[in-house]
Amino acid sequence: MEERMEAMRRQEAKEREEALRRQRLEEQRIREEQQRIQQEIENHRIQQERIREQQRQELERLQEQQRLELERLQELQRQELVRQQWLREGHRYNHHERHHGRHRGRHMF
């Protein structure tokens, strides 16, 4: 009878140890899963940051391109206004005058 009680106690102790071992394994598995999830979250955050930075740089590049194009168009517009003003004021000069007028003396041999 005493031996049976001892055997039952040993069996219970063995079962408790096994349950504790399984619990520790499960806790370890849960910790590893949490770490994996945290790493995925961090990787996603870093990826989003990179994407935002690329978009910011692309936006800056496009804005600079637009600014330069606007400056170019404004300069063309300014040149056209100057040309129209010149023509309105009667400074019409023909091909002959342009090539042989004021600067005639420059080409003397």
Side-chain angles (χ1 to χ4, degrees), residues 29-71:
R29 188 191 67 72
I30 289 170
R31 276 193 302 275
E32 289 170 357
E33 180 68 8
Q34 286 173 334
Q35 286 174 346
R36 186 188 65 75
I37 290 169
Q38 285 293 82
Q39 189 61 50
E40 279 185 29
I41 289 170
E42 181 63 12
N43 290 346
H44 184 70
R45 187 190 64 75
I46 290 169
Q47 185 181 20
Q48 290 300 308
E49 246 176 52
R50 281 191 194 125
I51 289 171
R52 276 193 296 277
E53 180 61 19
Q54 287 170 346
Q55 288 173 336
R56 186 190 63 75
Q57 288 175 359
E58 179 66 8
L59 181 62
E60 282 180 3
R61 187 186 68 76
L62 289 171
Q63 286 172 335
E64 179 64 8
Q65 200 176 358
Q66 276 185 327
R67 187 186 66 75
L68 292 171
E69 180 66 9
L70 181 61
E71 282 179 9

Side-chain angles (χ1 to χ4, degrees), residues 22 54 56 65 68 73 77 83-84 98 102:
R22 279 196 305 270
Q54 287 170 346
R56 186 190 63 75
Q65 200 176 358
L68 292 171
L73 291 173
Q77 187 178 33
R83 190 183 71 81
Q84 288 177 7
R98 194 169 5 163
R102 293 177 286 160

Side-chain angles (χ1 to χ4, degrees), residues 4-21:
R4 259 180 67 194
M5 292 293 280
E6 184 59 31
M8 280 175 61
R9 277 196 291 274
R10 276 196 307 266
Q11 183 61 31
E12 286 173 1
K14 200 172 173 183
E15 287 172 2
R16 275 195 305 275
E17 272 183 42
E18 180 60 24
L20 275 172
R21 188 185 70 76

